[in-house]
Amino acid sequence: MCGIVAIHDPRSPEGPSAELGRSMLDRVEHRGPDGRGERTVGPTWLGHVRLAIVDLDEGDQPLGPADGHWAVVNGEIYNHHELRRVSGLHFATASDSEAALAAAVAGDLDQLADLRGMFAFVVAHPDGRGVAVRDPLGVKPLYWARVDGATLFASELVAFAPEMRGHVEEFPPGFRWTPQEGLVRFRELHVGGEPIADVESARTAVRDTLVTAVRRRMMADVPVGVFLSGGLDSSLVAAVMASFADDVPGPVHSFAAGTEGSSDLLAARRVAEHLGLEHHERVYDADEVVSCLPSVVASIESFEPSLVRSAVPNYLLAEETARTVKVVLTGEGADELFAGYAHYRDITDGADLADELLRGVSGLHNLNLQRCDRVTMAHGLEARVPFLDRDLVNLAGRIPIEWRLPGELGQEKALLREAFTGWLPEDLLWRPKEQFGDGSGTADVMTERAAELVPEDDWAQQRVAGLPAPRTREELAYQRMFADRLAGIDARVLGRFATA
């Protein structure tokens, strides 16, 4: 996991401004505390800050084999061993990131569709060409700006200087860009397939596919942990990790956060004890929640209230986790695949629900995935999301929608729970869902302290220039914090919820 910056400027025969590139890289240095590198390749400048996870000794970037192609990569390629066997490229390191470079120089850019993982990368070729790529779900962030003939890329919005921010856009997930062809989709989110024929086959397939997805994401040369809220999704990830603990160096660590006595903390303790995990907690109070808000808003680069509320416990949890491990698995994506949210129950038509679930998965890069990436990378921590494995996303699309509705007990994600019968105590396996901000106790704190953030006489007449009208005093407070860090960013860059 890393931070990347790239500048492609065909107008400059000696290459783009290294000074500009370095200043952008300085602003995302928190994403890579273990190393820093840069290289100019013809009209392209590449910069990289590294969080060392795989091939600790030889995985520094920019990466470049003997034939003159160079890359900066943010993310993990989980099938890099298989890709090495079929590639004709000379590999100079054991880094998984070099598989991304191999796909980009293979001669057929359609081979990018073979990459499994979470990634955003830019490759510079020796003949002056280049390519930028982002994974189909947008698990890893990438932004770009086209200014005066130059094209600039970076992992976070903050990398762009204030005078450039009016030009910044989100680079779309599942697309590649070259100067010659522009934007081209290289892979659809769903690739289709025959519907699953019976419920028991669906349960077996869900269980086997999630187990494989978790094991893929345990790939590391450093200790690995799990964010454990005590809810179904993170508890299932933890259960699989505990069953395959020999796959990683050292013990499996679990991490939970919340206010004293909150339901998440209590449930997480029970899960960790049942699974034999090495458990850690971050207990915080109302004052800590309020005091960290400016840092949280700056980290997630968003002012959407529900995102901020859930990001606060995640931010404090990541801070605690980074003291022990560099890699953590999370439960993001399960609710969108298996209809876990309460509002899905209001959709009575199956086709409408299927459309809404697809919309939910497709929009995660502006919501939960953005939060997950930013709060962890703010502390030099890599988060991995096994529920959003390509195979599991495709499998969920093949499961008839009626099997993803609440079961006889009215419980959400019944099929997923049934698939893992016996992996957790029954009361934990069937624990009702709570939003992370609710289960951790943070939502209650925010409700209590919202009036302190924006006094009543201030709320009625104030608005942040360039941002949509705030819906609440709480949102106005977050908008102000956002503007302090990212003045000039067009709100449309933040996705549909920022402009509602």
Side-chain angles (χ1 to χ4, degrees):
M1 191 68 63
C2 311
I4 64 172
V5 169
I7 304 172
H8 180 78
D9 189 354
R11 304 166 305 165
S12 175
E14 297 180 358
S17 167
E19 182 179 356
L20 172 59
R22 289 169 191 149
S23 68
M24 294 178 68
L25 201 59
D26 286 343
R27 300 188 192 102
V28 295
E29 197 164 25
H30 53 275
R31 297 183 67 91
D34 297 331
R36 177 173 175 139
E38 64 176 82
R39 177 171 287 270
T40 299
V41 185
T44 304
W45 184 92
L46 302 173
H48 185 270
V49 288
R50 184 186 185 207
L51 180 65
I53 304 294
V54 177
D55 192 9
L56 305 185
D57 296 329
E58 301 293 337
D60 291 340
Q61 297 192 36
L63 285 165
D67 52 7
H69 305 274
W70 291 86
V72 286
V73 183
N74 173 29
E76 301 289 344
I77 309 299
Y78 300 122
N79 63 333
H80 71 106
H81 291 297
E82 298 95 308
L83 293 175
R84 286 170 180 272
R85 288 195 291 268
V86 300
S87 173
L89 185 73
H90 167 71
F91 284 87
T93 75
S95 170
D96 61 290
S97 294
E98 206 168 354
L101 176 58
V105 303
D108 179 4
L109 286 178
D110 289 341
Q111 291 192 25
L112 293 168
D114 295 333
L115 296 173
R116 289 177 174 270
M118 51 182 188
F119 49 85
F121 61 88
V122 178
V123 174
H125 300 295
D127 61 3
R129 294 177 301 115
V131 60
V133 184
R134 189 180 183 195
D135 70 72
L137 275 165
V139 180
K140 289 293 96 190
L142 188 63
Y143 298 94
W144 62 331
R146 287 162 283 190
V147 183
D148 297 331
T151 307
L152 303 88
F153 302 88
S155 295
E156 294 186 8
L157 291 168
V158 73
F160 297 90
E163 61 269 22
M164 298 178 182
R165 289 176 181 166
H167 301 278
V168 177
E169 301 175 85
E170 183 186 26
F171 193 92
F175 279 77
R176 58 178 169 85
W177 173 88
T178 64
Q180 296 76 28
E181 297 180 282
L183 280 173
V184 177
R185 181 179 289 279
F186 69 89
R187 191 177 183 279
E188 297 289 343
L189 185 57
H190 289 282
V191 296
E194 292 296 320
I196 303 294
D198 63 88
V199 175
E200 188 53 42
S201 295
R203 294 188 189 111
T204 300
V206 166
R207 181 174 59 252
D208 292 348
T209 306
L210 180 59
V211 168
T212 299
V214 171
R215 295 191 70 186
R216 279 184 184 137
R217 283 152 184 80
M218 293 171 73
M219 174 191 78
D221 295 330
V222 294
V224 175
V226 57
F227 278 175
L228 183 59
S229 69
L232 175 69
D233 311 328
S234 63
S235 296
L236 291 182
V237 172
V240 176
M241 293 178 71
S243 297
F244 296 95
D246 291 342
D247 287 3
V248 295
V252 174
H253 297 266
S254 56
F255 302 88
T259 55
E260 187 67 52
S262 58
S263 56
D264 276 1
L265 280 182
L266 299 176
R269 287 173 197 165
R270 284 197 57 210
V271 173
E273 181 178 2
H274 174 76
L275 298 174
L277 306 178
E278 191 161 318
H279 192 55
H280 311 258
E281 291 183 350
R282 174 69 160 90
V283 182
Y284 51 81
D285 60 21
D287 289 337
E288 288 179 278
V289 168
V290 175
S291 66
C292 79
L293 278 173
S295 297
V296 170
V297 172
S299 295
I300 66 173
E301 300 190 324
S302 175
F303 51 80
E304 157 51 38
S306 63
L307 206 61
V308 176
R309 289 190 210 111
S310 62
V312 167
N314 269 182
Y315 181 89
L316 296 171
L317 180 58
E319 182 180 51
E320 174 67 30
T321 302
R323 297 188 178 105
T324 305
V325 300
K326 285 187 174 183
V327 179
V328 66
L329 276 65
T330 81
E332 256 77 33
D335 290 310
E336 287 78 11
L337 294 181
F338 296 100
Y341 292 123
H343 68 267
Y344 289 141
R345 299 188 184 197
D346 299 329
I347 303 174
T348 57
D349 181 79
D352 290 344
L353 178 57
D355 289 343
E356 180 61 22
L357 293 178
L358 178 59
R359 190 172 76 101
V361 173
S362 302
L364 278 172
H365 59 96
N366 290 133
L367 292 168
N368 292 1
L369 290 176
Q370 179 168 324
R371 178 205 66 211
C372 181
D373 173 83
R374 300 300 203 286
V375 298
T376 51
M377 292 310 298
H379 300 290
L381 178 69
E382 171 173 308
R384 298 176 177 177
V385 286
F387 276 101
L388 294 174
D389 183 89
R390 181 165 85 182
D391 290 342
L392 192 56
V393 172
N394 287 334
L395 173 64
R398 295 170 51 217
I399 295 173
I401 197 66
E402 58 268 21
W403 298 348
R404 288 186 275 170
L405 297 172
E408 294 179 3
L409 299 178
Q411 190 79 306
E412 78 284 346
K413 295 183 286 194
L415 179 73
L416 180 60
R417 299 173 195 271
E418 292 163 357
F420 283 89
T421 298
W423 287 66
L424 294 167
E426 283 292 295
D427 63 315
L428 293 174
L429 183 66
W430 290 89
R431 180 190 176 207
K433 178 178 180 57
E434 292 183 88
Q435 297 291 341
F436 193 22
D438 297 330
S440 65
T442 308
D444 293 338
V445 170
M446 298 313 303
T447 300
E448 294 168 6
R449 304 292 287 269
E452 297 178 18
L453 299 173
V454 178
E456 179 64 40
D457 58 356
D458 195 18
W459 152 248
Q461 53 192 350
Q462 297 296 323
R463 180 172 175 177
V464 179
L467 298 183
R471 294 160 290 189
T472 63
R473 290 159 62 188
E474 180 187 0
E475 184 171 33
L476 176 57
Y478 302 153
Q479 287 185 346
R480 291 175 176 174
M481 296 172 191
F482 177 89
D484 285 343
R485 167 88 164 181
L486 289 165
I489 287 291
D490 190 325
R492 289 174 296 183
V493 177
L494 308 178
R496 60 190 174 91
F497 286 90
T499 56

